[in-house]
Structures are given as C-alpha cells and as structure tokens.
Amino acid sequence: MTDHLSTPFPPEWREIADHFMAMRFRYQSALREVQTKLEILDDEFQMRHSRNPIHHMESRIKQPDSIIQKLRRKGLPLTPEAAMENLHDIAGIRVVCAYLNDAYTIADLLCSQDDIRLLQTRDYIRQPKPNGYRSLHLIVEVPVFMSTGKQLVPVEVQIRTIAMDFWASLEHHLRYKETSDVPDELNSQLFEASEKIAALDQDMQHIHDQMLEWVSKHT
C-alpha cells in the first residue's frame, strides 16, 4: 500500500489538477488522523498489557488512474467531486496485528472513539472470500479540520494478522504480477495454503491464551 506521490495526472484530470491536489491533501490528512489514533491505542495497550497488538501499519492514497478506472466501471463522471461522493477507499491503511483476536480488539477500540463513525464492516476473517482471502475491512469516517472548516473524510482500514498479510501479499504478487490467468490447480493450492494459514492463526491464538492463563496462575 505504498504511496507514490510522483504519479502523473491522467489526461482527463490535467485541467482540474488543482482540485485533485486539494482532494489528495484532504485524504492524506484523514490518513494521518487515523494512523495517529491507532498509534496512541497501540501505545496505551502496551502500557496496560505489556505488549503491542499492532505489528506494523502501511497507508496509501489511490492513484489518479486507479480512481478514474473505478469511476468508469461505476459509470460516474470523471471528476474529483464524483470520486469523493462515491468512492470510500481512496485513502487506505493496513493494520497488521499479532494475534487473531487483536484484529477485533483494534477495530472495537478505534470505532469506540466518539469522533469516528463506522460506515461499513466487511468481515473476511469469519467469512473469507472464495479465493481464501482473510481480513477485516472497515470504512470509517474521520473529521479533518481545515482552515475552511471541518470535513468528514472516509478511510478504509484493513486489519489482518501477520500470517494473513503474508498470504495476501504473495497471492497478490502471483495473481497480478506474474500472470493474470492462474490455472485452477494453482488456485486450489493457494486456497489450501490460506486454510493452513487460518489454522496457524487459530493455533497461535490458543497458545497465547494458554500462556496468559498460565502466567496469571503463577504470579
């Protein structure tokens, strides 16, 4: 989800580049707000429980060509205004956590803040995608305070374990970087690998819970 600031504007948007840059700044500010909130929650969790639930975070802003392609697919005008009104994943942050339960803890802590509004939840952990993809997707709305006043900006938050992130990153590379036409046999192998990853997450969560129980009994 690395952000590339140097991507040129598509021809369709060159005449309205200033409007796009203003929109981009708005979403960058929203990302900063959400990331700061998550960092504070992670620090507090460390203080209270002596461990960090968040392993690392990555953020990105959709590139102009990706936004235009999505607007075209939806049959919408190719303008920043249409993008802001209809697309909720222009700004995205990926949160990679240690344990399975951490994904839900992080989501609950973030959404419990009174200036965060949860717009949508898609739980691909409990209900994985057909290809085996697992992650918890949230669309949250966060206030951004500009010189012109408060603006509410949506941010997509993807929360997944280290194991889920490992699988998703390799699956994306194989499917979209190596070839777009993956044979059925390899699709089956990818799905089987995702099942093993899910079982590993369950095992590690169980071991972690047992360890906490053991420590509580011996301290």
Side-chain angles (χ1 to χ4, degrees):
M1 298 178 77
T2 304
D3 191 19
H4 300 287
L5 298 178
S6 59
T7 299
F9 292 108
E12 295 94 329
W13 281 22
R14 284 177 183 163
E15 295 182 2
I16 50 174
D18 289 343
H19 294 285
F20 179 81
M21 290 303 295
M23 182 190 82
R24 187 182 185 86
F25 179 78
R26 182 184 306 179
Y27 283 100
Q28 286 175 326
S29 301
L31 271 181
R32 194 177 299 123
E33 289 283 344
V34 174
Q35 183 156 346
T36 299
K37 287 177 177 295
L38 290 166
E39 288 171 350
I40 291 171
L41 290 171
D42 190 50
D43 289 344
E44 183 192 9
F45 200 96
Q46 163 65 30
M47 179 187 68
R48 293 181 180 276
H49 304 286
S50 300
R51 73 176 185 88
N52 294 97
I54 297 176
H55 183 268
H56 70 272
M57 292 185 282
E58 299 177 31
S59 62
R60 63 102 180 99
I61 304 287
K62 267 188 182 297
Q63 296 302 325
D65 54 348
S66 295
I67 294 173
I68 284 180
Q69 288 173 16
K70 193 160 188 177
L71 289 172
R72 280 179 174 153
R73 288 198 302 270
K74 289 178 174 287
L76 296 169
L78 306 181
T79 64
E81 291 75 18
M84 288 185 288
E85 289 175 8
N86 297 280
L87 306 185
H88 286 165
D89 62 345
I90 294 176
I93 183 165
R94 181 185 303 151
V95 183
V96 179
C97 55
Y99 297 102
L100 195 57
N101 288 352
D102 288 339
Y104 296 100
T105 298
I106 292 165
D108 290 343
L109 290 173
L110 177 64
C111 294
S112 66
Q113 300 195 13
D114 58 13
D115 59 345
I116 288 281
R117 180 186 172 206
L118 178 63
L119 300 180
Q120 184 184 86
T121 301
R122 290 182 178 174
D123 191 343
Y124 298 119
I125 296 177
R126 294 192 173 110
Q127 295 182 316
K129 289 187 176 182
N131 67 342
Y133 173 85
R134 288 171 167 82
S135 186
L136 179 61
H137 288 202
L138 311 175
I139 302 294
V140 299
E141 192 176 65
V142 60
V144 174
F145 295 90
M146 317 288 283
S147 61
T148 54
K150 181 176 74 172
Q151 298 181 354
L152 300 175
V153 183
V155 175
E156 181 185 53
V157 182
Q158 298 179 3
I159 311 175
R160 61 181 68 154
T161 65
I162 299 169
M164 292 175 197
D165 190 55
F166 167 77
W167 182 90
S169 297
L170 290 183
E171 192 271 349
H172 179 80
H173 177 81
L174 290 169
R175 192 176 298 279
Y176 297 103
K177 303 299 182 183
E178 300 292 346
T179 175
S180 59
D181 186 18
V182 180
D184 290 341
E185 181 182 352
L186 293 183
N187 278 325
S188 296
Q189 291 182 42
L190 282 168
F191 180 80
E192 290 172 8
S194 75
E195 294 288 287
K196 293 175 183 177
I197 288 287
L200 176 62
D201 267 331
Q202 292 284 357
D203 288 344
M204 295 307 296
Q205 182 68 62
H206 182 61
I207 293 169
H208 173 67
D209 293 344
Q210 287 183 308
M211 186 69 72
L212 288 180
E213 184 178 349
W214 185 90
V215 170
S216 66
K217 290 179 179 179
H218 293 81
T219 54

